[in-house]
Amino acid sequence: QVQPVESGGGLVQPGGFLRLSCVTSGISFNIYTMYWYRQAPGKQRELVASISDWSTNYAESVKGRFTISRDKAKNTVYLQMNSLKPEDTAVYYCNARSPYHDYWGQGTQVTVSS
């Protein structure tokens, strides 16, 4: 059973930072694109960032503040989040996707509040 496992969420003040991690055992990062999504209360789930062998992409709302990266040897993808804003408050989900499979983590809560 492939199950992405997120960690690193928490409560942070505006302007602060957090680093999320997602470990996905049992897959090859060579063929999977890794995504971070988020879902705020009462809102639809939205794509935050993605990374593959060919590209990294970001939502306009996080460009310049968030950085996605990965360590293939550890099957781990990271999301470094700087200059956090209250509107970044959401449950953050890790998604591993190939042409044949689509795996989701359980999510980690990020709350930005003073």
Side-chain angles (χ1 to χ4, degrees), residues 66-85:
F66 291 10
T67 303
I68 190 170
S69 62
R70 62 183 181 176
D71 184 332
K72 287 186 176 182
K74 296 181 179 179
N75 267 38
T76 302
V77 62
Y78 304 97
L79 187 68
Q80 178 68 41
M81 305 186 296
N82 299 329
S83 302
L84 282 162
K85 305 175 181 180

Side-chain angles (χ1 to χ4, degrees), residues 27-46:
I27 66 169
S28 170
F29 275 20
N30 290 323
I31 60 172
Y32 278 79
T33 298
M34 301 300 296
Y35 300 84
W36 284 101
Y37 283 80
R38 67 186 181 186
Q39 188 166 19
K43 294 188 177 181
Q44 289 189 332
R45 191 171 294 189
E46 64 172 347

